[in-house]
Amino acid sequence: MHPRDEEIWRAIDQGRASDTFVGLGKAAPVLQIFNGAAPGAWVEAVRWWATYAYLQAAGVPGLASVRRDARCDVTLSRFLHTQTQARLALMGATRGLPVRLEPAKASGGPGDVRIGPAFIEVVTFAEDQKFQDYERFRQNCQRHLLALDRDCTIYWEGDLPERLNDDFETWKKRTEEAAQQCAASGAAVDVLSSAGRRLTVHPGTAPQGTTVTGDTVESDQGRRLLSKVCDKCAKTQGAGTAWIWVEDHSGLFHFPTPFAGMSLAAKTDALAELLGPLLEEYVHVAGIIVSNAARRRLPLPPDEDAPRPAAQGFRRGLPLDRVRETIVIPRRILLPDQTSLIARMCDGEATTLDWALGQLNVPGGVTSLLADSSTPHRDSPLWTP
């Protein structure tokens, strides 16, 4: 058995893994919890389909290899990496340029994507592992408390415990006992963690504004990002001239952090200051791009550009409710043709989905997929209420 397969089966059996597995349920339109979010999730699913359908129909070289890797490696990091490769290839095709997935490097072995003259290596910047670990723990706590709520008319208020390992089962037992005592006596009962964090169970229905909060988890995202990009720069030295595309899924652009609250111009300056020195150290790197599209907003904001002395920022609304922010940091000795190409790709990304649908003979683009049908709905004889 391949080592990756052994890891997958062991993780499934034990409920843990060194990497998160792909979970697409939260992307399903029918499972959106916010009002009005379903159409945006539907369009995002169409975007995924249209990207691969066009690349397949156009016979883009390297697609078979990318799809094979995605099937063999079902981890989240591989999924995000593959999605970025395919999206960049479509963006290049939209500009009328030849594209190739998994192009050969000068030193041998496959790269990620070539668009015209630009060779691009992809880095996916995921959430810090300790954020993921605590979020998983927090969800386990919440599920346990919700299960206790179903059996009694009670509610919880206060603080979840610090992340517990061997003591988690003990904490669960203590909350079960507290819930039973509260339900029987009609009085509030406190549950204290070993670090003194207080969680209180009350009888009755929770008043508006009642909250259960978790621990604070801190991380130096700038240092993590710099380390990740530095590693990629070092690994691509044998690839010839290359661009490094960082697809951010860490929450850097949308979590409540000082960076997320900056203007686009300030973000552009901050990333140029952080990553710019790498372009002097690794002369084969033509530039570094950092991009994020996790934020959702309706109506979409107007386009915004932030040309700065050392970099350029782009903010584009993508149909239907995605906001993409992209920071392009070229090296000082410019490659004008390649830099212009990258800028045009970022500038016109909002049009790529309609373009791909047109190439696939879907007239009217995204608008036509969301329009109400003028044909009256008729239930199939096989439909069962």
Side-chain angles (χ1 to χ4, degrees):
M1 181 181 289
H2 191 278
R4 169 60 80 178
D5 295 333
E6 288 187 17
E7 180 186 348
I8 291 173
W9 284 112
R10 184 169 60 253
I12 292 173
D13 181 55
Q14 299 177 4
R16 60 181 178 80
S18 62
D19 195 358
T20 307
F21 294 110
V22 179
L24 299 180
K26 64 181 181 181
V30 296
L31 297 180
Q32 299 302 299
I33 61 175
F34 296 108
N35 290 334
W42 158 246
V43 170
E44 195 64 16
V46 171
R47 192 190 319 278
W48 295 354
W49 167 80
T51 299
Y52 289 101
Y54 170 77
L55 297 178
Q56 176 72 30
V60 170
L63 179 61
S65 176
V66 169
R67 294 174 69 175
R68 182 174 61 249
D69 289 346
R71 290 190 182 106
C72 294
D73 186 345
V74 296
T75 56
L76 180 60
S77 59
R78 167 51 60 182
F79 174 77
L80 297 175
H81 190 279
T82 300
Q83 290 291 84
T84 304
Q85 284 179 277
R87 182 174 60 81
L88 293 177
L90 179 63
M91 289 166 65
T94 306
R95 307 268 74 81
L97 293 166
V99 297
R100 173 181 284 272
L101 293 163
E102 306 275 315
K105 298 179 184 177
S107 59
D112 285 326
V113 60
R114 179 179 289 280
I115 302 171
F119 185 95
I120 302 175
E121 289 279 36
V122 173
V123 179
T124 53
F125 185 55
E127 216 174 31
D128 194 334
Q129 187 62 48
K130 62 183 177 182
F131 286 152
Q132 297 181 39
D133 291 344
Y134 186 76
E135 179 62 17
R136 192 177 300 113
F137 170 73
R138 187 191 66 79
Q139 290 178 1
N140 287 338
C141 291
Q142 294 279 26
R143 279 194 291 267
H144 171 68
L145 297 180
L146 285 172
L148 298 179
D149 291 353
R150 294 192 195 102
D151 297 331
C152 312
T153 306
I154 57 173
Y155 67 93
W156 301 87
E157 182 179 30
D159 298 321
L160 294 174
E162 65 282 2
R163 190 175 169 217
L164 304 171
N165 293 316
D166 298 337
D167 293 336
F168 185 48
E169 292 301 321
T170 302
W171 178 83
K172 288 171 63 177
K173 183 172 178 59
R174 291 172 59 202
T175 55
E176 290 169 3
E177 293 171 350
Q180 293 170 0
Q181 181 181 343
C182 176
S185 67
V189 180
D190 291 334
V191 179
L192 294 176
S193 72
S194 56
R197 297 177 67 86
R198 185 186 303 274
L199 181 68
T200 303
V201 56
H202 300 271
T205 303
Q208 186 175 3
T210 302
T211 59
V212 174
T213 59
D215 210 352
T216 299
V217 181
E218 297 181 351
S219 174
D220 188 339
Q221 294 289 71
R223 181 174 296 180
R224 285 186 62 236
L225 177 61
L226 181 63
S227 175
K228 187 88 170 180
V229 177
C230 185
D231 287 347
K232 192 66 171 181
C233 289
K235 291 176 181 177
T236 57
Q237 290 188 85
T241 302
W243 291 80
I244 307 297
W245 186 291
V246 183
E247 192 69 15
D248 173 57
H249 293 272
S250 69
L252 183 66
F253 282 75
H254 64 285
F255 275 2
T257 62
F259 179 82
M262 290 179 177
S263 67
L264 181 62
K267 289 176 183 175
T268 303
D269 288 341
L271 286 176
E273 181 180 357
L274 176 70
L275 302 175
L278 295 178
L279 300 175
E280 299 178 7
E281 181 178 355
Y282 297 97
V283 295
H284 71 285
V285 177
I288 299 168
I289 304 117
V290 182
S291 189
N292 176 285
R295 192 156 61 98
R296 301 175 71 174
R297 180 175 165 186
L298 271 178
L300 288 172
D303 292 350
E304 182 180 350
D305 295 322
R308 308 297 294 165
Q312 178 154 2
F314 299 86
R315 179 178 292 137
R316 295 294 183 268
L318 308 182
L320 187 64
D321 59 3
R322 299 280 171 169
V323 180
R324 179 170 289 282
E325 293 185 335
T326 305
I327 313 298
V328 180
I329 311 163
R331 69 185 185 190
R332 295 196 175 185
I333 303 176
L334 288 175
L335 298 173
D337 292 344
Q338 295 191 26
T339 303
S340 174
L341 163 61
I342 297 294
R344 285 186 286 120
M345 286 170 52
C346 297
D347 177 51
E349 183 177 359
T351 66
T352 57
L353 178 54
D354 278 352
W355 183 87
L357 291 173
Q359 297 296 308
L360 295 168
N361 297 317
V362 179
V366 173
T367 303
S368 68
L369 299 178
L370 296 173
D372 292 334
S373 174
S374 59
T375 305
H377 174 70
R378 296 179 62 187
D379 290 331
S380 164
L382 299 179
W383 181 76
T384 303

